[in-house]
Amino acid sequence: MELNIALLPGDGIGPEVIDQAVKVCDAIAKKHNHNIRWTTALTGAAAIDAVGEPYPDETHEICINADAVLFGAIGHPRFDNDPSAKVRPEQGLLKMRQKLGLFANVRPTFTFPSLIDKSPLKQERIEGTDLVFLRELTSGIYFGKRGREDDGNTAYDTCTYTRVEVQRLAKKGFEMAMTRNKKLCCVDKANVLESSRLWRETVQAMEKDYPEVEVSYEFVDAVAMRLVQWPNSYDVLITENLFGDILTDEASVISGSMGLMPSASLGEKTALFEPIHGSYPQAAGKNIANPLATVLSAAMMFETAFGLNDEAKAIRAVVDKSLNEGIVTEDLSGGNKAYTTTEVGDWLAENI
């Protein structure tokens, strides 16, 4: 099979972890007789430095013509520490999501038996956790009207949703629940926010089309609490952009490391796959970053974008093996031997 994949390393540790995922993908392709054509493109701070734009038109053309996009991370402290910066790496991410129509961010959260003691939560609370968040990605407060008034002393950001935007995300949520444990939770703040009331009434109207799915409605603050109390009570959760951004980062620590969780962004055009962590600039160039989230994102890519389930299973299996045998970076070593980013990637590829 011919696989045409756009490769966006990005900033910080992005290029380092992407390199390891490419090694693993190439090993899988060789084993299963596929041919991968990688096309690398600029985004984020690296793109700003090169062409002054965080998501250049050339990068978009590469992404739109690819079968899938494998993405590292973006962000740089010099932009974070400059509130007056007119162009920021994160603007490229928002622009990419919008131009590619990536309205559904799929973020699984699960535990690894060999790492159960790495979680900050008690073992009995997290055992068996296997949940998926679907976060709406191209609307809400991140894309609403914003500005300053009163000589810059008053600021506003507007959260706006249309019924169609809610329906298309909820449809994916219902369909995913049907393939899992048939439980769907709509996360909102309908007791306060009008946009949340639209979310709730829209999802309620769709229940009749999926009679086998058990649907619950919970306020975002209650879900934030329950995620650390009983995360294994959830199956599929759907929510708007800002709530999803916060809750998925909270959920990521259940596994014991943000460096373990993959994600996918799906929508109208080319699907994108990326680790949930950021660019971690403090570790850039030190060869210590955990590449496993990026490698597992590649597994999601094989499965979701290409329907290559055996290849995805093989990647997940070799990741499990590396964890069980302690072939891990320093964030997971627990005082034992820590392997470099490159060594972990080499080991995974060799074992495939």
Side-chain angles (χ1 to χ4, degrees), residues 312-326:
K313 288 176 183 175
I315 293 174
R316 294 185 183 116
V318 80
V319 167
D320 283 342
K321 185 178 180 184
S322 75
L323 294 171
N324 290 331
E325 297 188 16

Side-chain angles (χ1 to χ4, degrees), residues 41-219:
L42 291 169
T43 190
I48 294 173
D49 291 342
V51 299
E53 160 65 45
Y55 184 62
D57 290 341
E58 182 181 354
T59 296
H60 180 65
E61 285 302 309
I62 289 171
C63 291
I64 204 73
N65 291 313
D67 300 320
V69 179
L70 188 59
F71 177 56
I74 60 171
H76 196 284
R78 74 174 184 273
F79 297 96
D80 299 337
N81 298 329
D82 183 7
S84 65
K86 300 299 183 186
V87 181
R88 297 176 176 277
E90 292 76 14
Q91 291 170 339
L93 190 56
L94 297 180
K95 186 177 179 182
M96 178 167 58
R97 290 168 179 170
Q98 205 161 39
K99 290 187 75 171
L100 291 176
L102 302 173
F103 63 82
N105 183 225
V106 183
R107 285 201 181 187
T109 294
F110 44 86
T111 54
F112 299 86
S114 59
L115 296 179
I116 204 83
D117 61 332
K118 303 290 184 185
S119 174
L121 303 181
K122 293 179 179 177
Q123 179 175 339
E124 61 268 24
R125 292 196 180 276
I126 64 171
E127 275 185 323
T129 295
D130 181 8
L131 60 87
V132 180
F133 270 98
L134 267 75
R135 166 192 168 194
E136 200 289 322
L137 209 55
T138 57
S139 194
I141 199 166
Y142 291 164
F143 292 91
K145 292 180 181 178
R146 66 191 61 188
R148 292 284 186 104
E149 298 175 341
D150 188 25
D151 293 327
N153 294 311
T154 301
Y156 62 91
D157 297 275
T158 308
C159 181
T160 303
Y161 272 104
T162 66
R163 194 178 302 276
V164 169
E165 288 170 336
V166 180
Q167 286 172 332
R168 66 184 183 179
L169 185 87
K171 183 175 185 291
K172 285 192 176 294
F174 276 109
E175 291 171 349
M176 185 170 289
M178 287 294 294
T179 67
R180 291 170 52 90
N181 295 320
K182 298 183 179 179
K183 291 169 60 181
L184 180 73
C185 178
C186 177
V187 184
D188 59 37
K189 193 64 176 170
N191 57 335
V192 177
L193 301 177
E194 191 62 36
S195 57
S196 282
R197 286 190 273 273
L198 174 67
W199 269 78
R200 188 169 289 212
E201 69 183 45
T202 301
V203 176
Q204 286 173 336
M206 296 174 70
E207 285 188 40
K208 65 182 185 302
D209 299 323
Y210 303 91
E212 295 178 56
V213 178
E214 176 189 341
V215 185
S216 62
Y217 300 85
E218 296 186 31
F219 297 146

Side-chain angles (χ1 to χ4, degrees), residues 245-263:
D245 194 0
I246 297 167
L247 290 175
T248 52
D249 275 8
E250 181 193 6
S252 72
V253 303
I254 291 171
S255 67
S257 173
M258 206 181 226
L260 291 169
M261 292 293 107
S263 76

